[in-house]
């Protein structure tokens, strides 16, 4: 019985530890290391659109994959992430009712990483990607 109790507690801590880890990837840009994650405490994954339009879109999946559609409506698969420390802590610049992050992405047919701005506007409950693509969100962090 004691062995089962110890086994149960061990499994509990192992499962808790594995779910609490933020996945971090290392990328290189201009011979410099950067770290990216898809987990920043806000619902970044989703579909981003230019206001009032149905296309072009950018779709970000939770696993760091996605699709970016150009102005000519051609689509490319991408890998993406938000810049963070090597420990997975998001790097951002705080503004008045907003936070700005660096969004990194590369198309699957390239090894070159590109970056753009990603911002969260807390009062408006909107996220902006690449300055013009937007997604509304629900803030589950508010108590």
């Amino acid at each position: 019985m004691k062995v089962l109790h110890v086994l149960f507690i061990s499994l509990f801590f192992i499962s808790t530890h594995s779910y609490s880890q933020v996945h971090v990837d290392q990328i290189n840009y201009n011979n410099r290391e950067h770290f990216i994650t898809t987990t920043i405490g806000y619902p970044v994954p989703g579909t981003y659109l230019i206001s009032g339009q149905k296309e072009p879109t950018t779709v970000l999946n939770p696993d760091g994959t996605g699709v970016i559609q150009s102005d000519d409506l051609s689509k490319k698969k991408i890998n993406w992430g938000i810049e963070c420390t090597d420990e997975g802590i998001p790097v951002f610049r705080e503004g008045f009712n907003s936070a700005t992050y660096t969004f990194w992405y590369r198309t699957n047919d390239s090894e070159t990483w590109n970056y753009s701005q990603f911002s969260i506007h807390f009062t408006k409950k909107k996220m902006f990607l690449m300055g013009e693509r937007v997604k509304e969100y629900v803030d589950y962090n508010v108590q």
Side-chain angles (χ1 to χ4, degrees):
M1 184 68 163
K2 191 174 187 178
V3 173
L4 284 175
H5 183 68
V6 171
L7 180 63
F8 177 72
I9 290 173
S10 298
L11 287 174
F12 174 76
F13 282 114
I14 290 169
S15 65
T16 304
H17 181 71
S18 66
Y19 282 109
S20 65
Q21 294 294 320
V22 172
H23 179 79
V24 175
D25 288 312
Q26 180 180 332
I27 63 171
N28 287 304
Y29 179 78
N30 285 346
N31 297 319
R32 249 185 84 212
E33 293 179 349
H34 296 271
F35 299 94
I36 59 173
T37 185
T38 59
T39 307
I40 65 168
Y42 288 91
V44 176
T47 302
Y48 293 79
L49 300 163
I50 296 173
S51 292
Q53 296 184 11
K54 292 185 179 183
E55 292 185 304
T57 64
T58 300
V59 177
L60 303 180
N61 299 319
D63 65 355
T65 63
V67 176
I68 190 166
Q69 190 175 32
S70 301
D71 289 338
D72 67 2
L73 304 184
S74 63
K75 295 181 180 182
K76 290 195 175 204
K77 292 183 179 182
I78 62 168
N79 292 311
W80 68 274
I82 301 291
E83 186 145 6
C84 65
T85 66
D86 60 346
E87 297 170 338
I89 300 168
V91 176
F92 64 95
R93 189 175 72 240
E94 191 172 351
F96 181 73
N97 290 325
S98 67
T100 304
Y101 301 79
T102 302
F103 174 78
W104 289 94
Y105 69 98
R106 72 172 177 81
T107 59
N108 287 4
D109 61 357
S110 173
E111 292 297 317
T112 304
W113 285 92
N114 303 291
Y115 64 91
S116 186
Q117 181 174 301
F118 175 81
S119 61
I120 302 174
H121 298 260
F122 305 115
T123 306
K124 295 178 180 180
K125 300 287 188 259
K126 292 185 178 184
M127 297 179 174
F128 289 85
L129 180 62
M130 300 175 176
E132 64 181 7
R133 298 177 189 212
V134 64
K135 173 187 118 161
E136 293 185 14
Y137 74 98
V138 175
D139 190 356
Y140 296 107
N141 296 318
V142 176
Q143 316 291 295

